[in-house]
Amino acid sequence: MRKRLVIVFLVPLAAVLLLLGGAYGWTASRGVQQSFYTQQVGDIGTFVTSARQALLSGSAEVLDGELRRYHELYGTRVIVVDRSGRPWSPQQGDAPVLDDATANKVQLALSGRRSDLPEPVLLPWQFAEQSLVEPIFDQGDVIGAVVMSASVEAPRAEIVRQWILLGIVSVIAIGIGLLVVLGLARWVLKPVHRVDEAMEAIERGDMEARIADDTGPPELHRMILLFNRMAEEIERVVSRQQEFALNASHELRNPLSALLLRVESLATGLDRGWDGEVEATREEGRRMTRILDTLLSFARGADPAPLRDPIDLAALAERRVAAWRDAAAAKGVALVLHVDGPVRSRTDETIAESALDAVIDNAVKFSPAGTAIEVTAARAEAGCELSVRDHGPGIPEEDLARATDRHWRSDRTRAIPGTGLGLAIATDLLATVDAGVRVEAADGGGLHVVLVLPAAEVR
């Protein structure tokens, strides 16, 4: 944004400087040239008077002396030609041959017409040496002409000096403008930077980050005030959520521990035939304990990094299918597992289990009695996949992209109790381990949900 502000302010400033500087440069160049030609015209007029007297008297000594001293003093060569166009005095016999442009001016002057002054030019290198020619009249007749060829080095140097001065002033003006614009941009953008810093601090977990009300221009104070109010509301909501998570996880641990103790107590009175069921119940209890521990860590703000250990997704799917088989059977739904050898993935086991549970729960909830739910663990090009395919009402093609949104329910399943959180929870969980969820319409009806997880490196 600072760059855009600098451009917005400096471009008009540069345009104004270019316009004013060009006008000043043209005026200064024109003024120097006009002053130069005015002096030339005055001097040549003086020599025309002296040359008339010399031509009429036939004596060139006095005129030659004046021309010699003038040349030594100003470096300007002055030649007096007679009516034939040749140098008049013998002392001017060594005068250089006139160029074509000057010769044409001499012929024009000998015909009784004065030559026009050169047009002013803008650039210094365009200011070239040009001769002035003035006719000499005697009672209306032309008796000769005065040719003046002055060096333009001095006026050209003056024009260059004016342009250099103009350039220096322009650079200084742009530099001052740049400093002013940068200071103004820094002052205007200071609250925006403070908001950005405060948002980063809140993202890092510093919920007490606030912005001083006196930062930046008064027009942005309302934005700062609204941001501080929003930060306070976010802090309050997050604090309440953490308190709820802490209370809920703490309160759940006590009945869970009591339940596990009762399981152990009941196990002592059962025969060996119940060992499998008892061990499955113990495993579910330990899994619930791990989930509650993770919930407590998140609630305390510890934000533990998910584990990335190699796990066998085939064995994981087998355990979860076994855990859900009774619940599915109660609804008249069969759970079918398809695995083809070990499927190794480097991910967090608890997250993978919870995500698969959420998807299976969805499938069981929406599958009609007499159908089957197929759970598959397999390798794929993108990594490893855990897929769940049901034969329920499914989701229309145009709504598949919204299936993982929180609390979204398809029109086909609104009559079935639910919160619309299953696929959203699975998506959020897998996002923490660089995994994802793909929802597809299954051939023959139903829904096909695929959990895509990273594969473990094979050594």
Side-chain angles (χ1 to χ4, degrees):
M1 185 179 289
R2 176 181 298 178
K3 183 184 296 185
R4 290 194 291 270
L5 284 176
V6 170
I7 292 175
V8 167
F9 280 102
L10 283 187
V11 168
L13 176 62
V16 171
L17 286 176
L18 181 62
L19 182 62
L20 296 179
Y24 174 80
W26 166 248
T27 303
S29 178
R30 187 183 181 91
V32 170
Q33 295 174 68
Q34 287 180 343
S35 176
F36 172 74
Y37 288 130
T38 299
Q39 182 181 356
Q40 293 285 89
V41 170
D43 291 346
I44 200 172
T46 301
F47 288 121
V48 165
T49 302
S50 300
R52 182 189 302 113
Q53 294 175 356
L55 287 172
L56 293 176
S57 65
S59 174
E61 295 180 1
V62 176
L63 178 61
D64 284 343
E66 291 181 2
L67 297 181
R68 190 179 305 109
R69 288 192 298 273
Y70 187 79
H71 177 67
E72 293 173 353
L73 184 60
Y74 297 105
T76 302
R77 182 177 293 278
V78 181
I79 303 174
V80 178
V81 298
D82 57 17
R83 190 173 300 172
S84 64
R86 293 189 299 270
W88 171 64
S89 64
Q91 289 81 359
Q92 297 181 5
D94 59 345
V97 179
L98 301 178
D99 57 55
D100 293 340
T102 304
N104 292 335
K105 291 182 180 180
V106 169
Q107 294 301 320
L108 185 66
L110 293 177
S111 66
R113 297 178 60 187
R114 290 184 172 88
S115 58
D116 297 328
L117 292 177
E119 289 293 331
V121 295
L122 175 61
L123 302 176
W125 54 85
Q126 295 177 331
F127 187 29
E129 183 175 318
Q130 298 187 35
S131 299
L132 295 181
V133 182
E134 188 73 14
I136 303 173
F137 291 96
D138 180 43
Q139 297 181 357
D141 296 326
V142 178
I143 60 175
V146 177
V147 182
M148 177 179 287
S149 300
S151 174
V152 296
E153 292 299 326
R156 184 185 294 167
E158 177 62 21
I159 294 176
V160 171
R161 190 187 70 82
Q162 294 281 356
W163 277 77
I164 292 176
L165 179 62
L166 174 63
I168 293 174
V169 172
S170 299
V171 170
I172 293 175
I174 291 177
I176 294 175
L178 181 61
L179 293 177
V180 172
V181 170
L182 288 177
L184 180 62
R186 189 180 302 110
W187 179 62
V188 171
L189 296 179
K190 187 176 181 180
V192 178
H193 293 317
R194 292 291 301 277
V195 169
D196 188 53
E197 292 172 358
M199 291 176 68
E200 288 183 358
I202 292 175
E203 185 181 13
R204 292 193 302 267
D206 182 11
M207 304 305 298
E208 297 181 357
R210 299 294 185 273
I211 305 173
D213 294 340
D214 58 350
T215 302
E219 291 78 6
L220 296 180
H221 286 180
R222 175 171 173 78
M223 179 191 72
I224 296 172
L225 180 61
L226 292 176
F227 175 85
N228 288 338
R229 290 178 180 174
M230 179 190 69
E232 291 173 359
E233 181 65 18
I234 292 175
E235 182 182 14
R236 185 181 65 82
V237 171
V238 171
S239 177
R240 291 182 60 183
Q241 288 179 345
Q242 289 179 335
E243 290 176 359
F244 172 78
L246 283 170
N247 294 337
S249 56
H250 182 270
E251 293 299 323
L252 286 174
R253 288 178 66 89
N254 293 332
L256 178 60
S257 299
L259 181 61
L260 291 177
L261 287 175
R262 288 181 178 273
V263 169
E264 295 298 331
S265 178
L266 290 172
T268 59
L270 298 175
D271 56 37
R272 288 287 184 177
W274 291 91
D275 287 352
E277 295 295 332
V278 171
E279 184 58 32
T281 306
R282 288 172 180 158
E283 178 57 29
E284 285 298 311
R286 288 192 290 268
R287 178 172 168 274
M288 288 296 297
T289 302
R290 291 196 300 271
I291 293 175
L292 288 177
D293 289 340
T294 302
L295 181 61
L296 276 172
S297 298
F298 278 115
R300 293 192 184 104
D303 195 14
L307 299 176
R308 302 295 179 94
D309 296 328
I311 62 172
D312 186 359
L313 295 182
L316 183 146
E318 185 176 359
R319 292 196 305 270
R320 301 321 304 154
V321 167
W324 279 94
R325 186 162 280 126
D326 290 342
K331 286 198 63 178
V333 178
L335 276 177
V336 181
L337 177 65
H338 300 289
V339 295
D340 185 13
V343 181
R344 307 290 293 178
S345 173
R346 184 174 292 277
T347 188
D348 186 283
E349 184 175 8
T350 301
I351 288 178
E353 285 181 343
S354 299
L356 183 59
D357 279 347
V359 177
I360 294 177
D361 177 46
N362 246 29
V364 171
K365 184 184 302 180
F366 297 112
S367 294
T371 60
I373 299 174
E374 301 174 17
V375 180
T376 305
R379 290 294 302 268
E381 294 182 1
C384 299
E385 292 184 351
L386 286 174
S387 63
V388 178
R389 190 254 198 260
D390 63 51
H391 293 78
I395 297 176
E397 288 281 352
E398 61 273 14
D399 292 335
L400 288 176
R402 303 177 57 193
T404 57
D405 293 346
R406 286 183 173 270
H407 302 295
W408 182 84
R409 300 289 302 278
S410 172
D411 292 337
R412 300 177 181 178
T413 59
R414 291 190 183 277
I416 301 175
T419 59
L421 290 174
L423 294 180
I425 290 174
T427 302
D428 291 344
L429 288 172
L430 293 179
T432 62
V433 291
D434 301 324
V437 176
R438 188 172 71 246
V439 182
E440 303 168 343
D443 295 335
L447 199 64
H448 186 211
V449 181
V450 183
L451 311 183
V452 182
L453 298 108
E457 297 180 0
V458 179
R459 297 181 180 178

